[in-house]
Amino acid sequence: MSWFYLSRFYLLVALGLILAGSLAVGGRWLWRQRWREASARRKVVIVSVGSACILLIPFLIGGAQLLWHERPNQAVTAEDLRILDRADAFLKDESAWNRDDDRQCGDDKANGKWSLSCALDTACIEVLGEYDHTNVALQEVRFAVEEATPDKQLNGRLMGFNNLPETRFEDIKRMLRIARERLVARQKRQAQP
């Protein structure tokens, strides 16, 4: 796991804690105002603080969900490794690679030419019976892509990396290999008592 990814993760945790603290302070202040006489000015402040607290709640919930799915070192299952193996099999050689990903996987399946994203999506469906955007295998490939492109602003990590003009087929295969190696190593650590 790269320093960049971990530092971003902990930055998001810190921002979430600041957000939760602000919400707690605002809520406590509002609670203390309930028995006090309220002037017109105080009513405006109470409504403003209350509105801000209400607006912060969805950000806090959404941020918690993002952190839950983007957390490092999630538990690995045999299915995660099978997803990566199946995606790797779809991308057997350069003639099976679709370098112009449009997030529509029907044409990839029909043509037998797979983008990185569609190979992983289809492999996930075949192995799990449904698509799971937050699957550990898919997330680990995204992390590998992030580390390989720290200075790039991608439109979706998988699609963006696949469509970069400088991305070669070997780079696609390398992302799958890196993800698999990490998951195998993590699975071995999990098995240790």
Side-chain angles (χ1 to χ4, degrees), residues 19-157:
L19 192 63
S22 300
L23 190 59
V25 167
R28 183 169 188 254
W29 184 84
L30 285 172
W31 181 257
R32 294 175 70 199
Q33 302 305 310
R34 70 187 190 287
W35 303 116
R36 298 179 72 179
E37 250 338 280
S39 64
R41 187 170 156 206
R42 173 168 270 142
K43 286 179 184 176
V44 168
V45 173
I46 289 171
V47 169
S48 298
V49 170
S51 299
C53 287
I54 289 169
L55 290 174
L56 287 178
I57 290 171
F59 286 109
L60 189 60
I61 292 169
Q65 288 174 334
L66 173 70
L67 285 174
W68 179 255
H69 297 302
E70 292 278 326
R71 71 192 184 282
N73 300 321
Q74 297 181 54
V76 178
T77 66
E79 286 81 18
D80 297 319
L81 296 173
R82 285 192 4 234
I83 289 169
L84 292 174
D85 291 341
R86 187 69 183 126
D88 193 52
F90 286 138
L91 293 160
K92 60 185 178 285
D93 57 38
E94 193 163 0
S95 68
W97 178 40
N98 175 6
R99 79 151 14 272
D100 187 26
D101 189 3
D102 59 2
R103 290 194 180 150
Q104 303 299 317
C105 297
D107 58 337
D108 288 274
K109 197 171 193 174
N111 297 330
K113 292 181 70 117
W114 303 91
S115 66
L116 176 60
S117 177
C118 287
L120 287 164
D121 293 359
T122 305
C124 185
I125 292 167
E126 286 185 8
V127 171
L128 300 177
E130 64 183 352
Y131 175 66
D132 178 9
H133 176 76
T134 60
N135 175 272
V136 173
L138 277 66
Q139 289 293 80
E140 200 61 48
V141 176
R142 288 184 187 103
F143 299 155
V145 165
E146 264 183 18
E147 291 172 16
T149 58
D151 56 341
K152 301 277 186 201
Q153 194 68 21
L154 301 175
N155 181 17
R157 289 172 277 188

